[in-house]
Amino acid sequence: MGGSGDEVELDLVVRERERAADGVVRLTLARPDGGPLPAWAPGAHIDLVVEDGVTRQYSLCGDPADLRRWSVCVLLEPASRGGSRFVHDRLAVDVAVRVRGPRNHFALESAPSYLFVAGGIGVTPIVPMLAAAEAAGTPWRLVYGGRTRASMAFVDELTTRYGDRVEVRPQDETGLLDLDRIMADLAPSTLVYCCGPEPLLLAMEAVCRPGALRVERFAPKEQGAPVRQASFEVELAASGLVLTVPPDRSVLETIEAAGVSVLFSCTEGTCGTCETTVLAGEPDHRDSLLTEQERAANDTMFICVSRSLGPRLVLDL
């Protein structure tokens, strides 16, 4: 699992702003002095810090080789809790915004071939993946669905550049994506990358063979009730401090209340900021990031949402 690595916090400035599709704005961000930004790889995202310290995660969709600019596309959500509305209404050219990252839990792994499936704004992390696969000479294809063609960012750019390897499927023209057809005759060694709305991700999880699928969520997956309903202890290995985590408080909240500072952002198990190494014990994984194999390893957890299956965890904090 990719951690936060060289994650930084910066005050950047909007250098360019353009309409990318119906309801989608594309922002180009840079340092005020034009200096270099941290390197990133396809699949990475950043946090934009909006009003009152609220953060929202957006995938980087530009060129990783361009260290002077970061680009994100933001869909105006009808039920916006403030993030997308703030971006659309307030982030004009030359306006400053605080940014954290980059962070990557959706990295493009080496494979003999790729199938990319994008739904709506979920195309954004996939755009630089296509360029990387193309540069490596790796066979790939993209199936890109959306509500309407006009609502789908990058359609013209992708079809012009890559031709019929990009299959554009607007719902009002062709209906919902036919996943059985899309997955037919898929080579066993092909890795499948998918980003989009939760119904698409759940459907892909149902049809993909185990181990083949990589997804990214920006909304938490439904987890159900915790396995352990009672309190449990958390030992912080660096200090030996032992804390009791009650049923109504997260590990993160308990650690913060004890005066220990830890990095966090979304508090929903989707961004990856609070990833913490587990030294002993067995976590009850409740995040929306780890694969089944990574969960089974039990060597890391996201303390904003995940809990303990047993009476005690020892964390590398």
Side-chain angles (χ1 to χ4, degrees):
M1 196 69 193
S4 54
D6 298 325
E7 181 178 337
V8 297
E9 184 164 328
L10 300 167
D11 288 317
L12 302 183
V13 174
V14 178
R15 290 301 186 205
E16 298 175 18
R17 175 187 167 114
E18 60 182 317
R19 177 187 174 277
D22 286 352
V24 179
V25 64
R26 180 171 182 171
L27 302 179
T28 299
L29 307 171
R31 290 182 185 267
D33 62 2
L37 294 164
W40 60 280
H45 68 264
I46 57 174
D47 295 344
L48 297 188
V49 183
V50 297
E51 294 176 295
D52 301 321
V54 173
T55 63
R56 294 291 183 267
Q57 291 78 48
Y58 300 106
S59 296
L60 291 168
C61 58
D63 179 2
D66 184 353
L67 297 181
R68 301 286 173 174
R69 305 186 300 174
W70 282 346
S71 293
V72 296
C73 283
V74 180
L75 170 68
L76 180 59
E77 299 283 356
S80 172
R81 294 176 294 165
S84 66
R85 175 60 65 186
F86 178 91
V87 170
H88 278 251
D89 290 353
R90 304 275 292 277
L91 291 189
V93 172
D94 294 332
V95 171
V97 61
R98 178 149 293 190
V99 178
R100 296 181 186 137
R103 194 179 305 118
N104 200 340
H105 291 279
F106 194 45
L108 185 65
E109 302 170 29
S110 179
S113 60
Y114 301 105
L115 168 63
F116 300 100
V117 180
I121 198 63
V123 75
T124 52
I126 288 174
V127 170
M129 290 185 179
L130 303 182
E134 186 76 356
T138 306
W140 62 267
R141 64 187 176 103
L142 166 66
V143 180
Y144 180 14
R147 291 182 295 102
T148 65
R149 191 175 295 267
S151 72
M152 299 166 67
F154 299 105
V155 164
D156 292 340
E157 177 181 329
L158 293 176
T159 54
T160 298
R161 184 173 181 182
Y162 300 121
D164 60 7
R165 282 180 292 170
V166 176
E167 183 180 332
V168 178
R169 291 283 175 175
Q171 185 177 340
D172 65 337
E173 297 176 22
T174 61
L176 294 174
L177 294 180
D178 183 349
L179 299 187
D180 289 332
R181 179 191 62 80
I182 292 167
M183 301 299 295
D185 302 322
L186 194 69
S189 58
T190 298
L191 277 186
V192 182
Y193 280 78
C194 181
C195 189
E198 186 66 11
L200 173 63
L201 302 184
L202 292 174
M204 287 294 292
E205 288 173 340
V207 299
C208 277
R209 63 175 175 79
L213 180 64
R214 307 290 184 269
V215 303
E216 178 155 62
R217 285 179 163 89
F218 287 121
K221 185 178 181 180
E222 181 60 44
Q223 301 290 338
V227 174
R228 182 182 179 86
Q229 301 296 322
S231 299
F232 58 93
E233 291 183 342
V234 170
E235 178 182 340
L236 309 186
S239 63
L241 184 65
V242 177
L243 305 172
T244 298
V245 181
D248 62 347
R249 180 176 283 188
S250 70
V251 175
L252 172 63
E253 290 169 332
T254 302
I255 292 173
E256 285 263 297
V260 179
S261 179
V262 290
L263 287 175
F264 67 93
S265 178
C266 74
T267 69
E268 294 182 325
T270 58
C271 76
T273 307
C274 69
E275 184 173 7
T276 302
T277 298
V278 178
L279 301 177
E282 189 174 359
D284 176 10
H285 295 290
R286 303 177 58 74
D287 62 273
S288 300
L289 288 158
L290 295 176
T291 65
E292 289 305 314
Q293 294 92 332
E294 289 165 339
R295 289 186 173 210
N298 283 326
D299 57 4
T300 191
M301 67 183 289
F302 298 94
I303 59 175
C304 67
V305 291
S306 294
R307 303 185 67 80
S308 181
L309 293 177
R312 190 180 182 95
L313 290 172
V314 181
L315 303 180
D316 187 19
L317 288 173

